Amino acid sequence: MKRTWWKEAVVYQVYWRSFFDSNGDGYGDLEGLIQKLDYIRDLGIDVIWLNPCYESPDKDNGYDISDYYRIMDKAGDMETFDRLLHEVHKRGMKLIMDLVVNHTSDQHPWFIESRSSKNNPKRDWYIWRDKPNNWRSYFTPSAWEYDEQTGQYYFHSFAVEQPDLNWENEEVREEIYKMMRFWLDKGIDGFRLDAIALLAKPKGFPDAENPYDIRYLTNNPGVHDYLQEMHEKVLKHYDIFTVGEVAFVSPEEGLKYVGEDRNELHTLFHFEVCDEMPTWDPIRFKQIQKRWYEGLWGKGWNSQFLNNHDHTRQVTRYGNDKQFRVESAKLLATLVHTLPGTPYIYQGEEIGMTGVKFDSIDDYNDIAMKNKYAEEVAKGRDPKEVLESLQLLSRDNSRTPMQWDDSEHAGFTTGTPWLKVNPNYKEINVKQALADPNSVYYYYKKLIQLRKQNPVMVYGTFRDLSENEPYIYAYTRELDGVRWLIVLNHCDSDNVYTLPEETSSASRRLLLGNYTDVKEEGTTLHMRPHEARIYALQ
């Protein structure tokens, strides 16, 4: 297997508007990130993934771009960005930018021109039709919006304010490639490509048999032609890292995006866990991991994550954020960092930050949640019930401000935060974590160091030893005669695990555990709630 710097990297996602506010306006900013770079470096991070900071009306928190060549005022300016990039590189880290090329803002000059008349040269830069089909978008009941000025409908896979670009138009593609080269020539180290599987649209836009199953938006014929062209004209000319957001994809289809012989992307985010497993399902999770390992290993590269800016914090959704918050946060970290693929850390995950339940829809900012709430209430459903049904998976669970200390607003801002701070910031914050040698933070640091010092964590083969176990997840990683055993008790109660014969005869050395007092027990392991252990086998 080819060894590369990006396979060995640990990535830290910065949702900058919630990270650190340097000027008291209530929004995090690039200057705030610069001030916290030492914190990220000290954790052991190799790559920072920066969420979109381009010029934007901010209808979807920066994923509606109105100018690809400018930095939005909330984030700072280009001079600050250039300084950020310099400071990241000075500390030995790399920076990848989140880039949206499936759609723009409706305030982008391209779309303003496109909608001005049917005869405008940029009319075909977007998708216009006389009649809509029955498709839904991710955020709204219809993927089409009527434009009174020209009497046609434009297509939007997400919000009304986010019209899709027409990738069939060669001029569009060339303009996108030109823009990508602009950022890469600045020295950034790659892209996280948002909604990249949506670039190609089904021919003719036929009605869907079931419009609520929006898989018709993704992975359509032509998408790989576009990505191979992007690679040929842009990506292959730089030593960078690319990761694509690819929903509704199987390992077989995923390999087309990341196969090392395909010349498309380096790795991908699939969402069989985060989009399709609302709560913890151990048997299904193991099946997903095994299928993706068998589908990609030796041919392409996977990513490991359980939360991000779009998905509820992992300790709330897949762990126990109350009775065993610290233990389950460490267990989930062990899982992500020891399974095959590149591990991603979402800001605050490393201190065990949790999701949130606000009392009113007015306290939420998530456009997808607010649109769904309005749609359901309009049908006559009880508003309280609707709110409760949407809270667990609201994107705002992960977007509440970073909790730096126990001062007002968790030390995030001296102003009024753009989104309410989680009330538990008094107990859960960076200051507290750095003062406690047994904190979640220091466990992450140890995990990252283990990965840097032991190639088996990166390149080792994977074997599940516990496929039918409902609570225990045990697996091995093996490389060049080095064999590790990982055992996780993903449960609120004690469990006993008897080692299989292939590992029971080996001597074991505990490398890392999330309980401080682990006793060696022969071939039967007595695992406490949310206990995680990493062994070297000899």
Side-chain angles (χ1 to χ4, degrees), residues 54-97:
Y54 317 91
E55 183 65 37
S56 169
D58 232 16
K59 297 293 185 182
D60 186 27
N61 291 15
Y63 284 88
D64 49 322
I65 299 170
S66 57
D67 188 338
Y68 286 104
Y69 294 92
R70 288 185 57 199
I71 301 296
M72 75 165 76
D73 290 342
K74 287 174 184 171
D77 54 28
M78 191 62 80
E79 185 271 333
T80 309
F81 177 85
D82 291 341
R83 191 156 43 85
L84 168 64
L85 184 60
H86 172 76
E87 294 295 331
V88 168
H89 287 163
K90 189 169 78 172
R91 288 164 174 79
M93 298 184 290
K94 297 180 184 291
L95 180 73
I96 65 171
M97 291 186 73

Side-chain angles (χ1 to χ4, degrees), residues 379-438:
K379 294 176 182 177
R381 288 188 60 193
D382 178 69
K384 185 178 179 182
E385 289 182 3
V386 174
L387 180 63
E388 289 177 353
S389 72
L390 297 175
Q391 282 175 325
L392 176 62
L393 300 184
S394 169
R395 298 187 299 176
D396 288 342
N397 279 293
S398 289
R399 297 179 178 186
T400 56
M402 182 76 174
Q403 294 161 209
W404 292 103
D405 57 39
D406 59 2
S407 66
E408 188 178 19
H409 306 313
F412 163 70
T413 181
T414 57
T416 302
W418 73 278
L419 186 63
K420 280 187 173 182
V421 175
N422 192 317
N424 63 18
Y425 73 90
K426 294 278 189 181
E427 295 78 41
I428 304 171
N429 58 69
V430 170
K431 182 180 178 182
Q432 180 276 330
L434 294 179
D436 178 4
N438 294 316

Side-chain angles (χ1 to χ4, degrees), residues 119-272:
N119 299 321
N120 188 279
K122 286 190 171 60
R123 183 67 168 183
D124 191 47
W125 282 39
Y126 294 84
I127 300 166
W128 295 90
R129 293 291 184 273
D130 290 328
K131 294 181 179 180
N133 64 8
N134 68 346
W135 293 3
R136 293 178 64 88
S137 82
Y138 274 89
F139 293 172
T140 59
S142 174
W144 300 90
E145 181 71 8
Y146 184 68
D147 182 65
E148 290 189 2
Q149 184 171 337
T150 56
Q152 283 190 313
Y153 295 82
Y154 66 84
F155 183 76
H156 57 94
S157 296
F158 294 90
V160 168
E161 298 88 353
Q162 294 168 292
D164 281 36
L165 287 162
N166 178 17
W167 269 73
E168 290 187 0
N169 186 313
E170 185 178 357
E171 289 182 351
V172 170
R173 301 200 304 275
E174 290 299 330
E175 195 64 36
I176 292 295
Y177 302 153
K178 174 185 171 185
M179 175 270 297
M180 294 174 76
R181 287 190 288 268
F182 168 82
W183 288 103
L184 291 169
D185 288 342
K186 271 187 172 291
I188 71 165
D189 302 290
F191 294 109
R192 180 265 190 187
L193 292 160
D194 180 74
I196 202 66
L198 279 68
L199 300 187
K201 317 301 183 187
K203 297 294 183 185
F205 292 88
D207 275 349
E209 184 176 339
N210 176 13
Y212 288 89
D213 183 354
I214 58 173
R215 293 170 190 266
Y216 46 75
L217 295 175
T218 68
N219 305 305
N220 290 302
V223 67
H224 297 291
D225 295 330
Y226 296 146
L227 290 177
Q228 286 170 10
E229 181 182 75
M230 180 188 292
H231 181 272
E232 181 65 26
K233 294 197 172 186
V234 182
L235 303 178
K236 80 172 188 179
H237 302 287
Y238 302 86
D239 179 21
I240 58 171
F241 170 47
T242 55
V243 54
E245 182 190 36
V246 184
F248 303 126
V249 67
S250 65
E252 295 73 28
E253 181 71 24
L255 187 60
K256 295 178 183 178
Y257 288 91
V258 301
E260 295 187 357
D261 60 346
R262 295 276 301 173
N263 295 323
E264 295 189 22
L265 305 176
H266 289 133
T267 185
L268 83 165
F269 297 136
H270 73 80
F271 295 94
E272 270 199 77

